[in-house]
Amino acid sequence: MRVAGTRARSAVPSATDPLNPIWHPSPNFGERRDGLTPSLIVIHYTAMDSAQAALDRLCDPKAEVSAHYLIGNDGTLWQMVREEERAWHAGAGEWHGQTDINSRSIGIELDNTGKHPFPEPQMHRLEQLLRQIMHRWAILPNGVIGHSDMAPGRKFDPGPRFDWLRLERNLLAAPRGYAAGPLTASKGQFRSLARAAGFSADVDDDTLLHAVRLRYRPWGRGPLQQADLAPLIPHS
Ligand SMILES: [Zn+2]
C-alpha cells in the first residue's frame, strides 16, 4: 500500500530529467560541417588509467582530441563539448557509407583501460545519457555504434568486454538477428550482410570479420562460420 501523498515513480527514468554533467570544457571542437546534426552516438573507451588522465588529454589543445562526454568508472559524468558542436573523437572511418562521423555524431568516452569490464554505475549512467541524447536528437537504436564499428582495424573500442547485448535489450542499440543463416557462409555473403548492417568501411575480409565479432561475438575465433552471419541478418 502506498502512503498518501507520495507519487508512484516510473521504473524507467525520464528522458528529460537533467543529468547535470560536470562542465569541463575542451578547446578541441569546431562547427559541424554542411549543417549536419547528430544522427549517431559513438561509444569509446579511454584506454587510460584514470578519468582525470583522460580529462586532461581530451582538453589538451596539443592532443587535438575530444568527446562530448566522459563517464567515470563510478558513474561521474563530465561534459567537455556542447552537443551542437563537432567534437574530435571519431577520426577516419565510415558507417552506412557516410564519412565525417564527427559532424554526424555525439561521442561518449568511458573511463576504462580496455582490459576490464565496465562497472554497473558507469553502465547505468551511460544508459541514462543515451536515453536523453536519443530523445533530444531523435536518434534511433541503430544510431548507437562503437568506435570499432566505424573504424575497423584502426580502432578496437569499446572492446570485447562492452555489454552490447544489455544496450540492445534496453532498446539503446540495434537488436541483433537470431536467424540461423546459411549453413555454409561465404565471404561474399558475409561482406554484403555486414555492409547492409552499416559496416561499410573498405577493409579486408579478416579485418571486417574481427570488427563484426567485436560487436556481436568477441569470443569468436578462427575462420568465418555460420554464427558470424546470424547477428547481421535483420529481423523479418
Ligand atoms: Zn575511440
Side-chain angles (χ1 to χ4, degrees):
M1 194 171 71
R2 269 207 312 277
V3 180
T6 59
R7 271 200 196 154
R9 285 176 58 90
S10 164
V12 179
S14 160
T16 52
D17 280 347
L19 289 174
N20 293 318
I22 301 166
W23 178 237
H24 189 291
S26 171
N28 303 331
F29 69 90
E31 237 178 84
R32 295 183 184 274
R33 295 174 185 152
D34 304 324
L36 289 166
T37 54
S39 55
L40 297 169
I41 301 171
V42 182
I43 298 175
H44 306 259
Y45 61 51
T46 58
M48 299 190 79
D49 288 331
S50 70
Q52 187 58 54
L55 274 177
D56 290 348
R57 177 167 159 78
L58 293 165
C59 297
D60 176 359
K62 290 196 286 291
E64 298 189 333
V65 292
S66 64
H68 295 87
Y69 295 99
L70 169 70
I71 304 177
N73 62 14
D74 62 355
T76 305
L77 176 65
W78 289 273
Q79 183 167 10
M80 293 161 282
V81 176
R82 292 170 62 239
E83 290 183 1
E84 290 79 3
E85 310 283 2
R86 181 178 180 275
W88 304 343
H89 57 95
E94 64 175 76
W95 184 249
H96 274 299
Q98 296 182 312
T99 55
D100 190 8
I101 303 300
N102 280 336
S103 282
R104 306 173 187 279
S105 68
I106 289 186
I108 302 175
E109 289 277 358
L110 301 174
D111 166 31
N112 183 293
T113 61
K115 299 190 179 86
H116 56 83
F118 296 79
E120 171 58 25
Q122 186 178 42
M123 287 301 290
H124 180 67
R125 186 73 71 215
L126 172 65
E127 291 185 329
Q128 289 180 313
L129 181 60
L130 285 173
R131 278 192 191 94
Q132 296 209 347
I133 298 170
M134 291 164 82
H135 177 81
R136 274 196 285 278
W137 297 98
I139 297 173
L140 297 172
N142 64 11
V144 179
I145 63 173
H147 201 186
S148 57
D149 294 337
M150 52 135 297
R154 191 175 72 79
K155 295 291 174 182
F156 304 94
D157 55 318
R161 294 172 186 277
F162 185 76
D163 192 351
W164 279 108
L165 205 48
R166 170 174 171 157
L167 293 196
E168 291 169 32
R169 280 194 296 259
N170 288 314
L171 308 179
L172 298 170
R176 67 193 60 201
Y178 290 96
L183 263 176
T184 43
S186 82
K187 287 181 179 177
Q189 280 172 312
F190 177 71
R191 186 166 279 276
S192 66
L193 282 169
R195 170 168 275 275
F199 294 82
S200 58
D202 183 20
V203 292
D204 63 56
D205 289 336
D206 287 346
T207 304
L208 181 64
L209 177 59
H210 185 63
V212 171
R213 281 180 174 171
L214 261 182
R215 172 71 181 256
Y216 294 111
R217 46 189 312 268
W219 56 88
R221 296 289 181 274
L224 182 68
Q225 23 182 294
Q226 186 184 25
D228 293 310
L229 277 77
L232 298 169
I233 298 171
H235 297 257
S236 51

